Amino acid sequence: MILPITLTIAGAAALLNVWLGYRVGQRRISEKVSIGDGGNDLVTCRMRAHANFAEYTPFVLILIGLIELADGTTLWLWAVGALYILARIAHAIGMDRPAPNPFRLTGILVTMLTLAGLGIYAVVLAHLHAV
């Protein structure tokens, strides 16, 4: 069975992960930091944006995949996946700006709401089908 939402969002996430890693590398080169953050706040911010993406995205992708498998390909799930990707781009852009800023805040809020919403929906869906 092909899961078009999961495949599309996973592909977008992979490309976004490459972009985030590239941004870290760019900042390392410009700041002359070879390993770690070198005590440089700019490098740290880019590293955290990349790491934060890697911390949350696997859970979101697993939930999207399982929900699509259980509930089918739905417009709302497309919207959630696309919104998540846009939020992660906003978060990365926001990490380059002084806090607080609307890009980072939006990225954080949408990420948390997406993860919580998908988690709740998955639990409800599992128990609705079990009845």
Side-chain angles (χ1 to χ4, degrees):
M1 169 180 225
I2 302 244
L3 302 173
I5 299 171
T6 306
L7 285 170
T8 303
I9 302 305
L15 295 173
L16 183 50
N17 192 47
V18 169
W19 176 67
L20 291 168
Y22 175 77
R23 286 169 38 92
V24 173
Q26 277 185 314
R27 185 61 74 189
R28 283 180 186 276
I29 290 167
S30 70
E31 301 296 326
K32 297 178 178 40
V33 175
S34 177
I35 298 174
D37 62 17
N40 185 297
D41 288 341
L42 299 173
V43 175
T44 301
C45 287
R46 292 248 174 124
M47 287 174 63
R48 282 306 310 148
H50 191 206
N52 189 269
F53 178 80
E55 292 162 4
Y56 286 99
T57 301
F59 290 105
V60 170
L61 290 175
I62 289 167
L63 286 166
I64 287 173
L66 292 173
I67 289 169
E68 186 176 15
L69 191 61
D71 206 25
T73 303
T74 60
L75 184 58
W76 75 265
L77 196 55
W78 274 113
V80 167
L83 190 61
Y84 177 76
I85 294 297
L86 291 173
R88 298 315 304 177
I89 293 169
H91 179 264
I93 291 168
M95 288 295 286
D96 280 356
R97 290 168 169 69
N101 67 71
F103 292 103
R104 185 173 177 206
L105 179 62
T106 299
I108 292 167
L109 287 175
V110 172
T111 296
M112 293 303 152
L113 291 172
T114 298
L115 191 55
L118 288 172
I120 291 166
Y121 189 77
V123 170
V124 168
L125 187 61
H127 290 282
L128 285 178
H129 284 286
V131 173

